[in-house]
Amino acid sequence: MARVIAIANQKGGVGKTTTAINLSACLAEKNKKVLTVDIDPQGNTSSGLGIDKNKLQNSIYQMLIGLCTLEDCRIVNQYDNLDILPSNVNLAGAEIELIGIDHREYILKKQLERINKDYDFILIDCPPSLNTLTVNAMTAADTVLVPIQCEFYALEGLTQLIHTINLVKQRLNPSLEIEGVVFTMYDARTNLSLEVVENVKENLRQNIYKTIIPRNVRLAEAPSHGIPINLYDPKSAGAEGYRQLADEVIDKEKNDLEEATFVKKEKKAKKSKRSFRRKK
């Protein structure tokens, strides 16, 4: 079963799409089967993975409003181990077209549940806003990964995002958790980047990944070529950063599974002990 991770931050320009593209590619490079879901009308994740979004016959837009199936719009093996549900500007109309549809918050969840077993990870790139599309992503997700840019306004809007995540958890998806926070665009030459990291760590009571994604020219160039950084420049600092993040995400999944297995065994042992006492 896939671990479904929504990559979200309503603040634009924080490296959300860059993270969706390159974390997906680096997980696939590590022989994990990955589906990348682009639910942002800008379609930058799609183009960053080499898809001409203007020539799509079917996209996630058609899937959400019921004009095609997931299989009709899924692009298989865009890269080794990496499939994608692409998006383009048509998706901007979905917000209005979904009004009045019963259980519209669960449309993406129902579609992904059918193919969940085919993947190790499903990563969803959300729009930079807290709208119906983002709520669909969070309802479908197990966790939310939050990229934060190393700049002065890093914490701006983060409280609202966490509030939205908690609302979705209370009303739509009780199992939703925050996957963690990842710092992006870190510039080791400035004191500001270090100050931002320390400030967030002091004020944010969430899991914070050890990996910090550096500000990197090659990382900025890669999307214009439609190639993820691990293929565009495998030895760059950006590629190494996202490989390390992929390792952390994989390790976190293993640890969570081990913890869940341990809890399950503990419950089973307690149940057996109570049953034995009743027999006596």
Side-chain angles (χ1 to χ4, degrees):
M1 296 289 284
R3 186 182 187 92
V4 185
I5 303 174
I7 301 174
N9 192 328
Q10 80 271 23
K11 192 174 185 298
V14 298
K16 178 179 59 60
T17 294
T18 300
T19 297
I21 293 169
N22 296 302
L23 179 55
S24 295
C26 288
L27 286 169
E29 183 182 65
K30 294 176 184 297
N31 292 318
K32 299 297 181 181
K33 186 65 177 171
V34 181
L35 173 66
T36 305
V37 180
D38 188 355
I39 201 169
D40 185 348
Q42 296 177 84
N44 290 336
T45 291
S46 301
S47 58
L49 287 170
I51 293 166
D52 188 342
K53 57 191 178 186
N54 297 316
K55 293 184 178 179
L56 292 172
Q57 285 189 329
N58 290 308
S59 69
I60 195 169
Y61 163 71
Q62 280 83 6
M63 186 195 79
L64 289 174
I65 65 172
L67 294 180
C68 77
T69 65
L70 182 147
E71 288 76 12
D72 290 332
C73 68
R74 177 174 55 179
I75 296 174
V76 178
N77 286 329
Q78 179 67 9
Y79 294 99
D80 289 344
N81 294 320
L82 179 57
D83 300 345
I84 181 168
L85 291 181
S87 168
N88 57 25
V89 70
N90 292 334
L91 186 58
E95 185 82 13
I96 295 172
E97 294 188 52
L98 292 175
I99 292 175
I101 295 179
D102 291 338
H103 307 297
R104 62 182 179 274
E105 299 89 354
Y106 295 94
I107 296 173
L108 182 61
K109 179 182 177 67
K110 289 177 180 177
Q111 290 286 342
L112 294 181
E113 280 177 344
R114 297 193 298 105
I115 48 88
N116 189 290
K117 65 182 183 300
D118 299 334
Y119 296 95
D120 297 305
F121 291 94
I122 298 175
L123 270 59
I124 309 172
D125 183 25
C126 301
S129 57
L130 302 176
N131 56 19
T132 301
L133 297 174
T134 302
V135 172
N136 250 272
M138 290 185 183
T139 303
D142 299 309
T143 59
V144 181
L145 177 63
V146 184
I148 295 181
Q149 185 181 359
C150 293
E151 62 158 27
F152 184 71
Y153 295 108
L155 286 170
E156 189 177 86
L158 194 58
T159 302
Q160 181 60 41
L161 176 64
I162 293 172
H163 177 66
T164 300
I165 292 170
N166 288 332
L167 281 178
V168 172
K169 182 173 182 175
Q170 290 170 18
R171 302 178 184 180
L172 300 168
N173 183 3
S175 62
L176 184 67
E177 300 291 345
I178 294 181
E179 173 80 14
V181 169
V182 60
F183 292 105
T184 63
M185 304 181 197
Y186 183 86
D187 190 343
R189 299 170 300 177
T190 67
N191 289 329
L192 177 61
S193 287
L194 180 60
E195 288 171 6
V196 168
V197 170
E198 294 303 319
N199 184 34
V200 172
K201 285 181 177 179
E202 287 174 10
N203 291 282
L204 193 65
R205 297 177 181 176
Q206 303 294 342
N207 176 48
I208 297 176
Y209 280 104
K210 294 178 183 177
T211 300
I212 297 177
I213 306 300
R215 188 178 291 277
N216 181 247
V217 173
R218 304 297 275 172
L219 197 56
E221 291 173 352
S224 65
H225 297 273
I227 303 172
I229 189 63
N230 63 315
L231 299 178
Y232 180 69
D233 190 346
K235 295 182 179 180
S236 66
E240 287 304 313
Y242 277 108
R243 286 194 184 102
Q244 290 172 18
L245 181 60
D247 284 334
E248 279 201 77
V249 170
I250 291 168
D251 288 343
K252 187 175 187 300
E253 184 197 27
K254 288 179 182 176
N255 292 337
D256 288 350
L257 284 172
E258 287 173 3
E259 185 178 342
T261 302
F262 176 77
V263 170
K264 190 175 181 180
K265 286 181 179 178
E266 284 286 292
K267 287 182 178 178
K268 189 175 181 180
K270 288 179 181 178
K271 187 177 180 181
S272 297
K273 193 177 290 185
R274 285 196 299 268
S275 177
F276 176 73
R277 285 173 181 168
R278 282 196 296 269
K279 285 179 182 178
K280 285 180 70 177

